[in-house]
Amino acid sequence: MPLHVVVGAGPVGSATATLLAERGDDVRLLTRSGSGPEHPRIARIRVDATDTEALTAQCAGARALHHCAGLAYTQWATGFPPLIHAAINAAAASGALLLTVGNLYGYGEFDGPVGESHPLRPNSTKGQVRADLWNEALAAHRDGRIRTAEVRGSDYLGAGANSAFTAVVLPAVTAGKTALFPGDPDAPHSWTAIDDMARTLAAVADDETAWGRAWHAPTAAPISVRALADLTANLTGTSPARVRRMPSAMLWAAGLFNADAREIRELRYQFDRPFVVDSTAATEKFGIEPTPTRAALQATVGIRTTAGN
């Protein structure tokens, strides 16, 4: 059976490892702690993914290296470069396809639905880091050193999802409290299901005609934070959702004492205006239909789906 290496046991890494294992592939899931989902076909291995030699050894004989590692915002600028550089070198030495998990930060601000052909014009430090690393991997692909592709998604919904919505709005709504959101709660926004990221990574790994470019994971129609909060209240049986815009002064004040709040300042533009992804290319290429928002939200809040839901 094909062997796949997955770096990171966060939401996307765990979903990808599980999907590959359940379809019959062998998986080496690499983390610093040896954590991850249990499955007979998943070998959970402790590895420092910045160690090129150790990573290369784990990639021996692998079809693909799925780089799904996530980092806290405060660690992006210093943490991602050594991770991706080690992955590029490991892919070059082992011959494994390098698949990276990306996002939309590299595009900066844009008007209308953004597709994969949109130029990378980052307006944030975090966006610049991801754009630079993707350009390095793509240059190595074009030079024939490696084979690579990237799968990008918007803010996640699904088991273990972490976003401004899940961190700020979801807890308040389920507790029956007013949520203060750092952006326009009525702006249309795209939300990508974690399972659709995993399905797209697997599909790209299987199709060599899909390599050498970025893909947007199939993503459901945009929905505002307020509408998503209303749907959450409906699913959880709590009182009607109350969402207000967080004053800019409050966010800036929070940043004086909280590093995460400070880091989100440069990304606030994503929630101040429509932020919509065009993912039709992947749906047409791979036949993957996006998970309905209701189902993705059910997974986010831990509600088991039943027939008819």
Side-chain angles (χ1 to χ4, degrees):
M1 293 298 172
L3 169 65
H4 293 257
V5 174
V6 177
V7 174
V12 175
S14 292
T16 301
T18 300
L19 173 65
L20 294 168
E22 288 183 344
R23 75 177 195 177
D25 294 350
D26 293 321
V27 179
R28 290 176 183 160
L29 180 57
L30 312 183
T31 64
R32 287 182 180 272
S33 64
S35 62
E38 295 185 4
H39 190 282
R41 289 192 175 277
I42 298 177
R44 296 177 297 175
I45 304 171
R46 294 186 180 187
V47 172
D48 178 355
T50 66
D51 184 334
T52 298
E53 185 176 348
L55 185 58
T56 300
Q58 295 298 332
C59 290
R63 169 181 289 178
L65 166 58
H66 303 255
H67 209 287
C68 306
L71 293 172
Y73 276 159
T74 55
Q75 300 173 354
W76 274 46
T78 58
F80 268 122
L83 281 169
I84 301 303
H85 291 156
I88 291 173
N89 291 332
S94 68
L97 167 71
L98 173 59
L99 292 176
T100 52
V101 171
N103 55 30
L104 310 183
Y105 297 1
Y107 298 123
E109 293 190 47
F110 51 82
D111 294 315
V114 66
E116 297 93 334
S117 62
H118 193 281
L120 295 177
R121 295 172 180 164
N123 62 341
S124 65
T125 299
K126 287 176 276 295
Q128 190 67 59
V129 167
R130 295 315 302 258
D132 288 347
L133 292 173
W134 166 242
N135 283 332
E136 286 186 41
L138 188 59
H141 174 95
R142 290 171 174 165
D143 290 343
R145 288 183 54 219
I146 66 171
R147 299 165 301 158
T148 193
E150 181 161 277
V151 175
R152 298 171 182 160
S154 189
D155 293 273
Y156 294 146
L157 290 177
N162 183 24
S163 68
F165 176 81
T166 60
V168 177
V169 180
L170 186 61
V173 171
T174 54
K177 300 179 179 179
T178 298
L180 293 178
F181 185 71
D184 180 358
D186 296 306
H189 196 90
S190 288
W191 309 88
T192 302
I194 288 170
D195 286 346
D196 293 341
M197 290 291 292
R199 291 197 291 162
T200 308
L201 284 164
V204 174
D206 292 342
D207 187 349
E208 64 180 73
T209 67
W211 304 345
R213 57 163 290 177
W215 295 91
H216 290 167
T219 298
I223 179 174
S224 71
V225 166
R226 192 182 306 280
L228 199 59
D230 288 338
L231 183 55
T232 300
N234 177 268
L235 287 173
T236 58
T238 54
S239 56
R242 301 188 302 275
V243 183
R244 292 170 48 204
R245 182 177 187 131
M246 178 185 293
S248 297
M250 182 179 293
L251 179 62
W252 279 91
L256 297 175
F257 308 98
N258 184 284
D260 289 333
R262 188 160 55 248
E263 289 291 332
I264 205 172
R265 292 171 179 169
E266 68 173 7
L267 302 175
R268 187 171 182 174
Y269 71 92
Q270 298 177 14
F271 293 100
D272 276 336
R273 55 189 295 177
F275 193 77
V276 180
V277 61
D278 177 358
S279 60
T280 54
T283 293
E284 293 173 357
K285 175 72 171 177
F286 308 114
I288 301 173
E289 293 295 332
T291 299
T293 299
R294 182 183 181 89
L297 187 57
Q298 285 177 312
T300 307
V301 299
I303 298 175
R304 292 183 179 275
T305 58
T306 57
N309 282 359

